[in-house]
Amino acid sequence: MSTDTDPSGGPQGVFRTKPVEQSIRDTEEPEHALKKSLSAVDLTVFGVGVIIGTGIFVLTGTVAKNNAGPATALAFVASGIVCALAALCYAEFASTVPVAGSAYTFSYASLGELPAWIIGWDLVLEFALGTAVVAVGWSGYVRSLMDNVGWNLPAGLQGPDVEGGTFDLLAFLLILVLTAILVVGMKLSARITAVVVAIKVGVVLIVIVAGLFFVKAANYDPFIPPAQSQESGSGWDAPLVQLLFGYEPTNFGVMGIFTAASIVFFAFIGFDVVATAAEETKLPQRDMPRGILGSLLICTVLYVAVSLVVTGMQHYSELSVSAPLADAFKSVGAPFFAGVISFGAAVGLTTVCMILLLGQTRVFFAMSRDGLLPRFFSVTHPRFRTPYRPTILLGVIIAIVAGFTSINELATLVNIGTLFAFVVVALGVIILRRTRPDLHRAFRTPWVPVIPVLSIAASVWLMLNLPGETWFRFAVWMAFGLLVYAAYGRRHSRLGRQGADAKY
């Protein structure tokens, strides 16, 4: 229980914690309850669906050519370990506090209201921006496939990334359609995701199996190319670790593997979204750990296999940056597989968009139910039992953003937002073990506090490798969030208004 019952939201009040039992009681309110319909298989499919996206189809070749060579496989392993450390912490929280909101809800139970608001505001940015970025990428793949059959959209409707384009019609329509699917219900979303994920994983397996026939051992020599100094970034473009400590990350060599890991980390983003569906899971205490850890394991194995195959098919120095997998097959005289890969990428990115949008709406819903955002948004649909109001609102906003905005430079904000959430969740596990040792934990993170501390250290290291400009933009967004909390959230917090010990 919180030791702070100050209802005014004063300096101490903003760190009041919300008891786990109270969070669970809130899920039973008829007007604010979500329908429980997901199984461990559904959760694993969601995880695989959102993790396998542009990372495996694009980053594999980019990082191999510029940062790590064939040792890109080890970079994926390193990033996978960082995510696994965080996943163990997420699994404990999601099974102990099976409530919508993921890291936001976990923080409210362990760190307090203000930290919870900060992480919730961070997740809003991460999921919204990630959805828009992926939708724009999906649009590019679909336009490419349309060009192959002679269909072309007017230049003005191809998006600001195309010369003469102003509005990305395909990205806009995709998000609106996915918004409608999410409003109708989680089970429908899970079924559609299952079909699309089956297609996407099938394409990835085709790449692995077919590519094995074109692998040449000579392309793996050297497996870890000699280290090269990176070109020093100018001003805020340089990694923060370089700006603060003068350390200059290297390409290739052993340290180049870790430089590559900070880049391919983007390919793993999404497993944490599984935790946002905890409240809609039939048996969260059993199924959440299975879904989170299972999806992460499957994707890590696929990533390592694909990176080994593509660097074996074509020497890393000759790989394409824009479409490495497809171009690798073209280089060995197999253009058919290049078309299959483009199709798989286009189909697969639809689930990435949908599940990121799902995560966004659930965090928004949880913050609204706690009164930190208007309670209007936490009323569920009388028939579908979904948070339809925030889903529609956020879906329309993100669709407009994706339609009108070129967001390539802002993509790194997704990375820093995710890593920040990892740090907070790991810290929360340590604190809640001390403050609430009595809680029943269906899944317990092993070796606490060692695993959470390692997770924090690894996440912070990857954050330090991101550009200073990314840190500045992230700080501006968070500062704006603090203003919103001060103006609205602090005054309307249900926990603050009625006292930490009140039953509401």
Side-chain angles (χ1 to χ4, degrees):
M1 301 292 284
S2 171
T3 58
D4 180 5
T5 58
D6 173 21
S8 66
Q12 293 182 341
V14 298
F15 289 100
R16 53 184 164 250
T17 56
K18 183 178 181 181
V20 172
E21 295 83 357
Q22 194 164 312
S23 294
I24 295 175
R25 282 199 302 270
D26 287 350
T27 68
E28 300 168 357
E29 296 177 349
E31 289 189 349
H32 305 278
L34 298 173
K35 184 178 180 180
K36 297 182 182 296
S37 60
L38 301 180
S39 65
V41 174
D42 293 326
L43 294 173
T44 303
V45 168
F46 271 133
V48 174
V50 72
I51 296 171
I52 296 182
T54 51
I56 199 168
F57 295 111
V58 177
L59 287 181
T60 303
T62 305
V63 170
K65 182 173 184 176
N66 298 329
N67 304 102
T72 296
L74 299 180
F76 275 117
V77 172
S79 281
I81 290 173
V82 173
C83 291
L85 294 172
L88 290 170
C89 298
Y90 269 90
E92 174 169 324
F93 258 129
S95 60
T96 306
V97 194
V99 178
S102 184
Y104 159 76
T105 301
F106 308 157
S107 301
Y108 214 160
S110 56
L111 301 176
E113 183 172 287
L114 180 58
W117 168 268
I118 291 173
I119 197 63
W121 191 252
D122 162 58
L123 291 175
V124 166
L125 173 70
E126 174 197 338
F127 293 149
L129 188 59
T131 305
V133 169
V134 174
V136 171
W138 174 88
S139 174
Y141 275 110
V142 172
R143 289 198 306 271
S144 176
L145 290 172
M146 292 172 63
D147 289 341
N148 291 340
V149 295
W151 297 349
N152 294 290
L153 285 174
L157 298 179
Q158 294 188 29
D161 287 322
V162 178
E163 184 177 353
T166 55
F167 180 72
D168 194 329
L169 178 64
L170 293 177
F172 176 80
L173 292 177
L174 171 67
I175 294 178
L176 291 186
V177 170
L178 297 180
T179 298
I181 292 172
L182 289 176
V183 167
V184 171
M186 282 291 286
K187 198 60 184 178
L188 174 62
S189 305
R191 289 170 180 165
I192 293 174
T193 301
V195 173
V196 176
V197 167
I199 295 173
K200 182 162 55 174
V201 172
V203 169
V204 172
L205 292 176
I206 288 173
V207 170
I208 295 170
V209 175
L212 285 174
F213 292 96
F214 301 102
V215 168
K216 296 179 181 179
N219 289 331
Y220 292 129
D221 186 21
F223 189 77
I224 302 179
Q228 299 176 6
S229 297
Q230 286 189 16
E231 294 183 10
S232 297
S234 57
W236 287 101
D237 291 336
L240 188 66
V241 67
Q242 181 177 333
L243 294 174
L244 293 178
F245 309 113
Y247 166 78
E248 296 187 15
T250 61
N251 288 324
F252 306 110
V254 175
M255 294 308 296
I257 294 173
F258 295 101
T259 301
S262 68
I263 299 172
V264 300
F265 175 80
F266 180 82
F268 285 94
I269 286 176
F271 80 84
D272 56 319
V273 179
V274 176
T276 66
E279 192 173 326
E280 293 157 278
T281 303
K282 295 176 183 176
L283 297 170
Q285 289 79 8
R286 183 195 69 184
D287 293 343
M288 286 306 301
R290 293 180 180 182
I292 293 173
L293 297 171
S295 59
L296 182 61
L297 176 62
I298 291 170
C299 293
T300 301
V301 171
L302 291 176
Y303 280 176
V304 171
V306 167
S307 61
L308 287 173
V309 167
V310 74
T311 53
M313 290 176 62
Q314 190 175 19
H315 195 268
Y316 73 89
S317 62
E318 300 173 357
L319 285 170
S320 161
V321 173
S322 57
L325 270 64
D327 289 348
F329 277 100
K330 289 179 182 178
S331 73
V332 295
F336 168 77
F337 293 108
V340 171
I341 291 169
S342 296
F343 172 75
V347 172
L349 291 181
T350 58
T351 58
V352 179
C353 277
M354 182 167 68
I355 300 168
L356 285 173
L357 183 59
L358 162 72
Q360 156 92 330
T361 57
R362 270 41 178 186
V363 172
F364 200 92
F365 168 81
M367 296 173 75
S368 168
R369 189 164 58 187
D370 290 332
L372 302 183
L373 291 171
R375 290 268 289 171
F376 170 84
F377 293 111
S378 62
V379 175
T380 54
H381 193 281
R383 176 183 174 188
F384 303 126
R385 309 310 302 171
T386 57
Y388 67 106
R389 289 172 177 172
T391 301
I392 294 172
L393 171 68
L394 296 169
V396 171
I397 292 174
I398 297 171
I400 294 172
V401 170
F404 284 105
T405 311
S406 175
I407 341 174
N408 292 334
E409 293 184 359
L410 298 180
T412 50
L413 278 172
V414 182
N415 277 14
I416 196 171
T418 304
L419 287 165
F420 181 64
F422 286 2
V423 170
V424 172
V425 170
L427 185 61
V429 167
I430 297 173
I431 292 175
L432 203 62
R433 283 285 187 97
R434 292 180 177 273
T435 58
R436 292 298 309 275
D438 58 303
L439 279 178
H440 172 68
R441 292 167 169 84
F443 177 88
R444 296 176 67 89
T445 303
W447 303 322
V448 173
V450 176
I451 292 294
V453 168
L454 288 175
S455 178
I456 292 170
S459 299
V460 169
W461 172 250
L462 292 185
M463 291 172 74
L464 290 173
N465 279 277
L466 294 172
E469 185 177 17
T470 298
W471 281 82
F472 174 75
R473 288 172 172 166
F474 182 67
V476 169
W477 172 257
M478 300 310 293
F480 177 61
L482 290 175
L483 292 177
V484 174
Y485 174 75
Y488 184 90
R490 180 178 65 87
R491 300 174 184 276
H492 294 83
S493 164
R494 296 180 73 197
L495 196 62
R497 281 187 159 188
Q498 301 186 27
D501 296 326
K503 180 179 179 180
Y504 62 95

